PDB file of all heavy atoms in Angstrom:
ATOM      1  N   ALA A1059      10.529-225.152 -87.724  1.00  0.00           N
ATOM      2  CA  ALA A1059      11.338-226.324 -88.038  1.00  0.00           C
ATOM      3  C   ALA A1059      10.726-227.356 -88.938  1.00  0.00           C
ATOM      4  O   ALA A1059       9.376-227.528 -88.782  1.00  0.00           O
ATOM      5  CB  ALA A1059      11.823-227.102 -86.728  1.00  0.00           C
ATOM      6  N   ILE A1142     -36.530-260.946 -50.510  1.00  0.00           N
ATOM      7  CA  ILE A1142     -36.397-261.716 -49.261  1.00  0.00           C
ATOM      8  C   ILE A1142     -37.611-261.652 -48.526  1.00  0.00           C
ATOM      9  O   ILE A1142     -38.258-260.595 -48.382  1.00  0.00           O
ATOM     10  CB  ILE A1142     -35.206-261.172 -48.418  1.00  0.00           C
ATOM     11  CG1 ILE A1142     -34.947-261.858 -47.156  1.00  0.00           C
ATOM     12  CG2 ILE A1142     -35.430-259.630 -48.161  1.00  0.00           C
ATOM     13  CD1 ILE A1142     -33.681-261.604 -46.366  1.00  0.00           C
ATOM     14  N   PRO A1181     -23.080-260.197 -52.586  1.00  0.00           N
ATOM     15  CA  PRO A1181     -22.512-260.512 -53.775  1.00  0.00           C
ATOM     16  C   PRO A1181     -23.557-261.170 -54.746  1.00  0.00           C
ATOM     17  O   PRO A1181     -23.455-260.993 -55.939  1.00  0.00           O
ATOM     18  CB  PRO A1181     -21.374-261.486 -53.471  1.00  0.00           C
ATOM     19  CG  PRO A1181     -21.126-261.090 -52.020  1.00  0.00           C
ATOM     20  CD  PRO A1181     -22.349-260.639 -51.338  1.00  0.00           C
ATOM     21  N   VAL A1189     -26.057-259.465 -64.406  1.00  0.00           N
ATOM     22  CA  VAL A1189     -26.569-260.298 -65.556  1.00  0.00           C
ATOM     23  C   VAL A1189     -27.898-259.783 -66.126  1.00  0.00           C
ATOM     24  O   VAL A1189     -28.116-259.794 -67.289  1.00  0.00           O
ATOM     25  CB  VAL A1189     -26.695-261.847 -64.962  1.00  0.00           C
ATOM     26  CG1 VAL A1189     -27.470-262.555 -66.030  1.00  0.00           C
ATOM     27  CG2 VAL A1189     -25.365-262.369 -64.684  1.00  0.00           C
ATOM     28  N   GLU A1198     -31.895-256.485 -77.636  1.00  0.00           N
ATOM     29  CA  GLU A1198     -31.908-255.852 -78.959  1.00  0.00           C
ATOM     30  C   GLU A1198     -31.675-256.896 -80.074  1.00  0.00           C
ATOM     31  O   GLU A1198     -32.017-256.606 -81.233  1.00  0.00           O
ATOM     32  CB  GLU A1198     -30.854-254.753 -79.018  1.00  0.00           C
ATOM     33  CG  GLU A1198     -31.279-253.496 -78.348  1.00  0.00           C
ATOM     34  CD  GLU A1198     -30.378-252.302 -78.874  1.00  0.00           C
ATOM     35  OE1 GLU A1198     -29.825-252.354 -79.929  1.00  0.00           O
ATOM     36  OE2 GLU A1198     -30.167-251.340 -78.025  1.00  0.00           O
ATOM     37  N   SER A1305     -14.629-226.714 -83.758  1.00  0.00           N
ATOM     38  CA  SER A1305     -13.840-225.691 -83.061  1.00  0.00           C
ATOM     39  C   SER A1305     -13.654-224.500 -83.999  1.00  0.00           C
ATOM     40  O   SER A1305     -13.502-223.366 -83.538  1.00  0.00           O
ATOM     41  CB  SER A1305     -12.365-226.278 -82.653  1.00  0.00           C
ATOM     42  OG  SER A1305     -11.677-226.638 -83.875  1.00  0.00           O
ATOM     43  N   ARG A1363     -22.243-228.477-104.290  1.00  0.00           N
ATOM     44  CA  ARG A1363     -23.058-229.638-104.592  1.00  0.00           C
ATOM     45  C   ARG A1363     -22.307-230.926-104.205  1.00  0.00           C
ATOM     46  O   ARG A1363     -22.857-231.816-103.567  1.00  0.00           O
ATOM     47  CB  ARG A1363     -23.464-229.701-105.975  1.00  0.00           C
ATOM     48  CG  ARG A1363     -24.400-230.757-106.421  1.00  0.00           C
ATOM     49  CD  ARG A1363     -24.799-230.587-107.903  1.00  0.00           C
ATOM     50  NE  ARG A1363     -25.607-231.727-108.309  1.00  0.00           N
ATOM     51  CZ  ARG A1363     -26.178-231.830-109.514  1.00  0.00           C
ATOM     52  NH1 ARG A1363     -25.884-230.918-110.396  1.00  0.00           N
ATOM     53  NH2 ARG A1363     -26.859-232.884-109.849  1.00  0.00           N
TER      54      ARG A1363
END
Side-chain angles (χ1 to χ4, degrees):
I1142 187 167
V1189 170
E1198 285 195 29
S1305 68
R1363 182 176 179 180

